[in-house]
Amino acid sequence: MIKQPAYLKKGDKIAIVCPASRLPRPIDKAIEVFLSWGLEVVLGESVTAEHHQFAGTDELRRADLQRFMDDPSVSAIIAGRGGYGCLRIIDELDFTHFVENPKWIVGFSDVTVLLSHLYAVYGIQSIHGPMPYTFDDATPESLESLRCALFGEPIEYRYPNLPKSGAIIGGNLTLLVMLEGSVSAMDYTDKILFIEDIGERPAAVDRMMRMLDRSGKLKKLKGLIVGAFNEMPQEKIPFGQTIQEIILQVVSKYDYLVYFDFPAGHIDDNRAIVVGKGLG
């Protein structure tokens, strides 16, 4: 049974927390945007906390997220940024109250850990979308898609012929691979898989795609959506294939469609996707 959190309405309260890396700059633009949507904004302690590269210690970040997960007055939790850190706290979170009263959790990149865990373990939908750290450069279209996702309004995507059956799952490719073998790994059967990544060499992308294929995860998909794969470092000896060529070669034996250049990932035009929901 898939659980959909209640959509937001004007006057609802949302919380911003940083479950992973610390914020290097203020998020005033994001707060202004949320207020313009008629939402009340509360900030977690982790928004201003620092512990090396993290937004506070593991315990501080866990407690911060836990507090808002359990707070019935908070209707959605927005991750301030990604980076690294969600994997360090996921197993210490208590989802007892959250499962009884689910709310939207929003983020991408490292927050893929939370989004995947929610769907894999509890069947709860979440939103893969822009985070406050990215609002300064985000396109109006990406921010509008997040508003629509939160308020339950239709989201218009670039591809009119995307599969209408099958829930969309996925997120950052590196994190999806890291979650394999754990309770947080999603079931890919009859799903539309979305992947994106940043800063990975072509050889690493090839390795991860082949690992997912060898584990059987790519065999029974309804479709594959490829978002941005950007800031790919150059290798001393060229790998010899583009990211598109790598992905197509790995899934060429399957008969589902593959869609490239989907507007989502580590780019300014990062459109919101509801994880666990169909695109129709």
Side-chain angles (χ1 to χ4, degrees):
M1 181 68 70
I2 304 303
K3 301 175 184 177
Q4 176 185 282
Y7 290 123
L8 301 189
K9 59 186 183 302
K10 287 187 176 182
D12 280 348
K13 181 191 297 182
I14 65 169
I16 301 177
V17 299
C18 290
S21 293
R22 63 185 179 89
L23 284 169
R25 63 173 184 264
I27 52 172
D28 297 342
K29 168 69 179 295
I31 295 173
E32 291 176 6
V33 170
F34 289 133
L35 292 176
S36 74
W37 294 350
L39 300 172
E40 179 183 348
V41 180
V42 293
L43 303 180
E45 187 178 349
S46 57
V47 170
T48 55
E50 296 183 11
H51 180 71
H52 304 301
Q53 71 177 42
F54 302 106
T57 63
D58 290 349
E59 175 54 29
L60 183 148
R61 301 193 322 279
R62 183 209 62 79
D64 209 26
L65 180 55
Q66 187 74 61
R67 175 164 67 98
F68 293 120
M69 286 172 57
D70 296 342
D71 186 344
S73 72
V74 171
S75 300
I77 301 172
I78 319 293
R81 68 163 297 187
Y84 174 65
C86 290
L87 200 63
R88 295 169 62 104
I89 65 174
I90 188 67
D91 294 322
E92 306 305 321
L93 291 168
D94 182 352
F95 289 87
T96 303
H97 295 298
F98 187 88
V99 171
E100 295 174 355
N101 297 285
K103 60 192 73 177
W104 293 108
I105 289 185
V106 180
F108 72 104
S109 193
D110 191 68
V111 186
T112 296
V113 174
L114 288 171
L115 310 187
S116 182
H117 188 83
L118 285 175
Y119 189 73
V121 181
Y122 304 108
I124 296 175
Q125 295 178 353
S126 56
I127 298 174
H128 181 285
M131 298 181 288
Y133 176 65
T134 69
F135 272 39
D136 286 351
D137 300 314
T139 65
E141 292 80 7
S142 67
L143 296 181
E144 175 63 8
S145 71
L146 176 58
R147 189 194 66 79
C148 289
L150 286 169
F151 284 83
E153 300 176 16
I155 303 174
E156 301 240 348
Y157 295 107
R158 180 180 298 170
Y159 300 98
N161 59 338
L162 286 170
K164 296 299 187 288
S165 63
I168 187 167
I169 63 168
N172 182 264
L173 178 61
T174 298
L175 272 301
L176 293 175
V177 170
M178 288 176 61
L179 293 173
E180 283 302 306
S182 75
V183 298
S184 304
M186 294 178 282
D187 180 3
Y188 289 24
T189 304
D190 294 328
K191 306 298 192 307
I192 302 168
L193 177 63
F194 164 75
I195 56 174
E196 64 84 27
D197 220 319
I198 185 172
E200 294 291 344
R201 296 178 297 111
V205 174
D206 185 81
R207 183 185 305 121
M208 290 187 285
M209 289 297 297
R210 293 181 185 279
M211 178 271 170
L212 288 179
D213 189 39
R214 295 189 70 227
S215 67
K217 288 301 183 84
L218 305 181
K219 185 177 183 180
K220 297 181 179 180
L221 294 177
K222 286 282 187 72
L224 177 60
I225 296 175
V226 183
F229 275 73
N230 51 335
E231 298 184 22
M232 318 300 282
Q234 296 294 319
E235 304 185 74
K236 292 182 179 179
I237 302 177
F239 185 72
Q241 287 180 299
T242 65
I243 298 302
Q244 182 169 331
E245 289 169 340
I246 289 169
I247 293 171
L248 287 176
Q249 184 179 55
V250 172
V251 302
S252 61
K253 53 185 174 289
Y254 306 125
D255 61 2
Y256 49 77
L257 295 177
V258 182
Y259 303 85
F260 288 96
D261 300 319
F262 192 82
H266 291 75
I267 51 176
D268 295 344
D269 193 22
N270 180 22
R271 309 290 178 94
I273 296 170
V274 179
V275 176
K277 180 180 179 181
L279 292 171

